[in-house]
Amino acid sequence: MKIIVTLALFMSTFGVAFLSNAQESRLSSIDVNNPIYSIRAYTPGSKSSLKFGAQSLKVDYEIWGSLLKKNVSTTGKVNYKGFQDDIKKFNEFLRILSNTRIDHTWTKSDKLSYWINVYNAFTVKLIVNNYPVSSIKNIQGPWKQKFFTINGEPMSLGEIEHGILRKMGDPRIHFAINCASASCPRIIQIPYTSKNLERLLDQQTTEFINDPFYNTITDYTANVSKLFDWYKKDFKEKSGSVISFINQYSKVNINNQKEKGYKSYDWSLNAAK
């Protein structure tokens, strides 16, 4: 009887050790610099789960802030080669985004700023993955391909924009997310956070609407960005009409201008020369 109990205990201990070693081996085989992997806990409560488990804490955007400051100009031109040179650091931040788990402690501002940063960061990653490229539209299915994960779920840029951000009911997000193109609202040098979100959304919306490159609004002409055509539903739901939304931020209101229309959209890459 003692022999059987001893043997059972030995097998139990050996089995736990074997599984633990297998899990550690599996973890060590994963390239943690590759944001495609969302590394989650294999054994709840284990040391590895504390190190590699999905994060429920608020995101630290320090790495993203340093990369933006270094590789984005004040006019929104992006040094994609610079992101390539800093790929290990960049992938480290993308891995943080991939492993983040939103929980009940997150406010709407926490969520909105997080998803804006996710969209912008992985758009840069998409270009870096395909660089050099002259336009994001030269990449096959740029908004449909699921090339990254969030908390273990494969996702695409289109899902972030249409399935999450637009459903949060704030059309100003269209001036915060950047599609790596000349006619897109510029990417800025600092991350969005719950503290600066409201200020930056208003700032980006005001700057975009009053920049003659994106919108020409005078007493005689109102030629505006195609964004107001593509996402008219969002602006109408918020302000009643596209014109009403624009007039909240425009220095010159759209009223009875003789010439009205939409500007052609420039899809050339927003790369620094």
Side-chain angles (χ1 to χ4, degrees):
M1 185 66 176
K2 288 184 178 180
I3 294 174
I4 294 174
V5 172
T6 302
L7 182 60
L9 289 172
F10 171 77
M11 291 301 292
S12 175
T13 302
F14 175 78
V16 171
F18 176 80
L19 288 173
S20 178
N21 290 336
Q23 290 164 349
E24 290 298 321
S25 176
R26 186 179 179 187
L27 286 172
S28 65
S29 69
I30 293 175
D31 177 9
V32 296
N33 288 320
N34 189 336
I36 289 176
Y37 296 103
S38 179
I39 303 173
R40 294 170 293 172
Y42 293 100
T43 308
S46 69
K47 290 182 179 179
S48 61
S49 72
L50 293 175
K51 184 176 181 180
F52 296 106
Q55 303 171 161
S56 60
L57 300 176
K58 307 296 169 60
V59 181
D60 184 347
Y61 295 113
E62 182 179 356
I63 295 175
W64 183 225
S66 67
L67 289 170
L68 288 171
K69 187 175 182 180
K70 181 179 179 180
N71 297 302
V72 176
S73 73
T74 55
T75 59
K77 298 300 181 182
V78 181
N79 179 8
Y80 291 104
K81 182 62 169 60
F83 276 100
Q84 280 187 327
D85 294 340
D86 284 326
I87 195 63
K88 186 174 182 179
K89 188 175 181 181
F90 186 25
N91 282 347
E92 181 183 349
F93 174 67
L94 296 179
R95 178 173 171 270
I96 291 172
L97 293 180
S98 288
N99 292 341
T100 296
R101 177 181 295 155
I102 296 175
D103 64 21
H104 68 281
T105 66
W106 285 49
T107 64
K108 182 179 180 180
S109 294
D110 290 326
K111 297 173 185 176
L112 199 52
S113 57
Y114 168 75
W115 288 115
I116 290 172
N117 290 320
V118 166
Y119 187 93
N120 288 341
F122 279 105
T123 296
V124 172
K125 177 61 174 173
L126 179 66
I127 300 300
V128 168
N129 286 350
N130 293 274
Y131 198 76
V133 65
S134 59
S135 171
I136 191 172
K137 297 193 83 172
N138 291 340
I139 301 170
Q140 186 174 5
W143 297 288
K144 292 183 178 180
Q145 59 172 281
K146 298 187 177 186
F147 67 97
F148 61 97
T149 65
I150 300 296
N151 193 27
E153 294 296 325
M155 300 197 78
S156 68
L157 294 173
E159 287 174 319
I160 301 297
E161 180 180 7
H162 304 296
I164 298 174
L165 281 169
R166 292 182 66 192
K167 289 184 177 180
M168 296 183 77
D170 193 331
R172 293 177 301 171
I173 61 102
H174 293 298
F175 312 108
I177 58 177
N178 178 267
C179 64
S181 303
S183 285
C184 290
R186 69 183 179 92
I187 186 170
I188 59 177
Q189 294 178 306
I190 57 176
Y192 290 84
T193 67
S194 59
K195 291 183 179 180
N196 67 25
L197 179 66
E198 189 64 26
R199 174 177 63 83
L200 290 181
L201 286 178
D202 262 347
Q203 172 186 298
Q204 288 301 98
T205 303
T206 302
E207 286 186 5
F208 181 85
I209 288 176
N210 291 286
D211 188 325
F213 175 78
Y214 302 114
N215 305 277
T216 302
I217 305 174
T218 69
D219 291 336
Y220 305 98
T221 302
N223 288 329
V224 298
S225 169
K226 286 291 287 184
L227 289 176
F228 293 110
D229 183 27
W230 295 332
Y231 303 112
K232 65 179 82 173
K233 178 182 177 182
D234 298 356
F235 300 113
K236 286 181 178 179
E237 287 181 351
K238 185 67 175 180
S239 302
S241 71
V242 173
I243 290 177
S244 293
F245 180 88
I246 293 174
N247 285 347
Q248 291 178 61
Y249 300 92
S250 180
K251 293 177 181 178
V252 178
N253 282 357
I254 297 176
N255 191 8
N256 295 314
Q257 282 87 344
K258 292 183 178 180
E259 181 184 337
K260 293 181 181 180
Y262 295 102
K263 288 198 170 190
S264 59
Y265 211 79
D266 185 352
W267 288 102
S268 60
L269 195 69
N270 62 340
K273 302 297 184 182

